[in-house]
């Protein structure tokens, strides 16, 4: 048997994700201009930076002055370190005891929610002869992680008393920061404000208070405190349709394919799984070699793609590897022409929010949902 070629030696498959590094860089610059200078930002790069490539985004964030990276598991932290990222890494969520010994080695800051965990980390830190930085999360209404706001002060005091731990941050997370109705966010902010006041009065100092994800950063300036945690914003996608916009910010990710087949259907011919489409008249059909196995929504006669800057409606139910479109309005479409599944083509565009509508989900899931079987290709084309 001959040795199989490396993936990178193969011609690129007819479906891919494009990351425009010029746009990404520009988005970071626009955020730096938008935010107050003293406000620090932590770059949230969990889940491959929402599918954009964790090192690619983390490097740019580091260059833009990010104070730390935010991830949710040790593998992601390891990936950052092997990719040469130097800034501290904040771990969201709970950390198991058997994971804690890696904090020091990897420069990972755990979020501590339990005194027993603080005690354990304090003991092993003592053995290493180091003071380990930790952050604490206040539960103010997300109901997920953290110590309830009305029980927090005592907890903070207790953690503060450990000689080999240093509290570097206290934070909470909004359940609803990017919608018009900010009343619950304000309630959470009030709870966090009480905690902040009592912690400051108790003499725990030199730490960052932070609450904001992108939605909070954009719309609730009074919640900025010392640091914000930005995930989706530098990628150029708005967390919701109603939040504040920063001029010039654009999506860095596009998803493209090539038209694998162009064929004629006769009146009454069927197309796709489940007999969900029958040609009402003779028509031209296109086959796109990307389906729900690539992260495209499982749609039925809903949605469209762009070919030559025009919308080609999806017909029938799509498959794991293929999606069918109506080419009637695009007579110039030929085999291997470029197809845009998400992004701009000429004056037309399909946004993550459009796809979220067809997929009945949110833009976040659309972005992190593009599977790794679609290769990530960097472009720096500023005309897009
Ligand atoms: C994912 C996450 C963020 C980032 O949210 P965006 O809306 O993408 O900016 C911030 N904080 C925490 C705790 C998160 O889990």
């Amino acid at each position: 048997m001959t040795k199989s070629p490396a993936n990178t030696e193969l011609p690129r498959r007819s479906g891919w994700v494009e990351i425009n590094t010029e746009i990404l860089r520009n988005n970071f610059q626009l955020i730096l201009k938008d935010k107050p200078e003293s406000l620090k930002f932590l770059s949230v790069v969990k889940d491959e930076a929402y599918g954009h490539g964790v090192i690619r985004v983390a490097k740019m964030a580091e260059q833009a002055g990010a104070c730390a990276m935010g991830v949710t598991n040790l593998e992601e932290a390891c990936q950052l370190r092997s990719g040469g990222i130097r800034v501290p890494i904040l771990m969201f969520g709970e950390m198991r005891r058997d994971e804690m010994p890696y904090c020091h080695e990897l420069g990972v800051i755990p979020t501590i929610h339990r005194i027993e965990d603080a005690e354990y980390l304090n003991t092993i830190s003592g053995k290493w002869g180091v003071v380990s930085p930790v952050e604490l999360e206040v539960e103010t209404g997300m109901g997920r992680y953290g110590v309830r706001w009305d029980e927090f002060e005592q907890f903070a005091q207790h953690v503060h008393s450990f000689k080999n731990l240093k509290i570097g941050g206290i934070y909470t997370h909004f359940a609803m920061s990017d919608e018009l109705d900010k009343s619950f966010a304000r309630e959470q902010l009030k709870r966090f404000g009480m905690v902040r006041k009592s912690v400051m009065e108790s003499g725990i100092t030199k730490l960052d208070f932070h609450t904001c994800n992108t939605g909070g950063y954009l719309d609730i300036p009074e919640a900025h405190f010392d640091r914000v945690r930005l995930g989706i914003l530098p990628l150029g996608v708005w967390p919701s349709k109603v939040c504040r916009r920063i001029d010039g910010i654009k999506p860095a990710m596009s998803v493209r394919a090539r038209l694998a087949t162009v064929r004629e259907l006769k009146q009454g011919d069927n197309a796709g799984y489940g007999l969900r489409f029958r040609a009402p008249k003779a028509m031209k059909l296109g086959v796109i070699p990307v389906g729900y196995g690539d992260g495209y929504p499982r749609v039925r006669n809903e949605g469209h793609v762009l070919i030559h800057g025009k919308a080609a409606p999806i017909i029938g139910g799509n498959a794991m590897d293929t999606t069918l479109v109506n080419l009637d309005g695009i007579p110039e479409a030929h085999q291997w022409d470029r197809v845009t599944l998400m992004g701009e083509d000429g004056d037309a565009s399909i946004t993550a929010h459009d796809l979220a509508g067809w997929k009945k989900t949110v833009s976040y899931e659309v972005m992190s949902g593009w599977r790794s079987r679609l290769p990530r290709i960097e472009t720096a084309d500023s005309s897009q």
Side-chain angles (χ1 to χ4, degrees), residues 44 46 50 72 92 144 171 173 212-215 229-233 239 364:
V44 181
K46 60 197 180 194
Y50 305 10
T72 54
F92 301 136
R144 186 165 82 168
Y171 68 95
H173 193 54
C212 288
N213 56 358
T214 295
R229 307 184 299 268
L230 304 180
I232 203 167
L233 187 58
Y364 291 83

Side-chain angles (χ1 to χ4, degrees), residues 262-272 277-286 315 324-326 328:
V262 176
R263 63 193 317 122
E264 308 287 338
L265 291 187
K266 291 190 174 154
Q267 184 183 18
D269 282 356
N270 291 302
F277 184 81
R278 197 161 183 215
K281 57 181 175 57
M283 59 176 283
K284 218 158 99 170
L285 167 143
I315 57 180
L324 308 178
V325 295
N326 184 341
D328 264 357

Side-chain angles (χ1 to χ4, degrees), residues 89-110:
I89 300 171
L90 175 61
M91 189 76 77
F92 301 136
E94 292 265 353
M95 188 180 280
R96 288 196 319 265
R97 297 276 172 90
D98 60 335
E99 296 175 312
M100 284 186 185
Y102 296 90
C103 287
H104 179 54
E105 182 183 338
L106 285 171
V108 162
I109 303 170

Side-chain angles (χ1 to χ4, degrees), residues 45-83:
V45 291
K46 60 197 180 194
D47 194 14
E48 284 288 346
Y50 305 10
H52 290 61
V54 59
I55 299 304
R56 181 178 294 124
V57 176
K59 282 223 155 115
M60 257 181 226
E62 203 173 45
Q63 276 164 18
C67 67
M69 301 289 148
V71 298
T72 54
N73 61 60
L74 276 183
E75 282 83 354
E76 292 178 329
C78 269
Q79 220 182 336
L80 284 169
R81 292 298 178 229
S82 5

